[in-house]
Amino acid sequence: MIKRTKSKELLAQSIEQLAASKSVNKIRIKDITENCGLTSPMFYYYYKDADDIINYIFRTDFEKKIENGPDRLDYEWLLHRLADLLREKYGFYQNVLQNTHGVNSLYNTSATVILEYIRGKMRPDFENGEIPPNLDMMLEFHIYGVRTKACDLMTAGYQEDLDDLLDIFVAALPADLKPYLLKG
């Protein structure tokens, strides 16, 4: 049984615990609630479905990793925080990426969360806080590419030293974005 915390977090801990021994696409809401002593209505009070709880876990983990981060965006720092997050919960996130699909899956949500963070850090650099459309499209293209490659490697079981991979992601950054994303 899991240590008692707030119900929302308790449900999140429950699915993480279950995912350690079971494919996430085989975990039912009933399994999650029974594992932590809550009810299905309590689950649906906080979450819409299994994707929603998984996305909550990622967003929460991500926010913890970036709290107390630099005021100005440092893309290399961000990549290292993301790598740390994935290393710490490798089994859980690999399970999720291998066994969930769809519009609301972590695969899609992870890019959205990261883009929100980067855009928030970039906006002060522009008049009226509006990122020029061409830069925003470059940013989306880059982040979607990084997300795709990172997820492909993770689902394939890649656990090598990530420093070389992160260097490649930074090198692939469009030149027009480097002044906004790299510390310097």
Side-chain angles (χ1 to χ4, degrees), residues 3-125:
K3 181 182 165 192
R4 186 80 179 152
T5 61
K6 292 182 182 179
S7 296
K8 186 172 187 171
E9 288 79 24
L10 192 61
L11 290 160
Q13 291 173 8
S14 180
I15 192 173
E16 286 187 69
Q17 185 182 65
L18 292 167
S21 61
K22 191 175 189 178
S23 173
V24 291
N25 62 344
K26 304 283 188 212
I27 298 171
R28 300 169 304 153
I29 302 307
K30 183 179 180 184
D31 299 330
I32 298 167
T33 57
E34 285 180 355
N35 186 51
C36 63
L38 295 174
T39 63
S40 293
M42 183 62 74
F43 178 92
Y44 290 109
Y45 177 79
Y46 291 108
Y47 305 107
K48 295 181 289 189
D49 54 26
D51 283 334
D52 195 30
I53 193 171
I54 290 166
N55 292 332
Y56 167 79
I57 292 166
F58 177 76
R59 188 177 289 275
T60 302
D61 288 347
F62 179 73
E63 289 171 357
K64 287 177 186 171
K65 281 293 175 193
I66 62 169
E67 68 186 3
N68 303 319
D71 291 334
R72 189 174 188 294
L73 179 61
D74 181 348
Y75 185 62
E76 291 178 273
W77 175 87
L78 176 63
L79 288 176
H80 283 278
R81 298 300 74 71
L82 285 164
D84 290 346
L85 184 161
L86 295 175
R87 262 192 297 265
E88 289 167 12
K89 290 188 175 182
Y90 184 84
F92 175 72
Y93 285 117
Q94 183 186 44
N95 184 345
V96 168
L97 291 169
Q98 288 175 334
N99 298 296
T100 61
H101 309 285
V103 174
N104 296 320
S105 68
L106 177 64
Y107 179 81
N108 289 320
T109 301
S110 61
T112 302
V113 168
I114 294 163
L115 281 166
E116 285 172 4
Y117 172 77
I118 293 173
R119 285 176 174 140
K121 290 289 190 175
M122 283 178 67
R123 282 191 179 97
D125 291 338

Side-chain angles (χ1 to χ4, degrees), residues 132-143 173-177:
N134 64 322
L135 289 179
D136 196 50
M137 185 173 286
M138 284 181 212
L139 177 63
E140 279 189 24
F141 188 78
H142 179 76
I143 295 302
L173 197 60
D176 291 350
L177 284 174

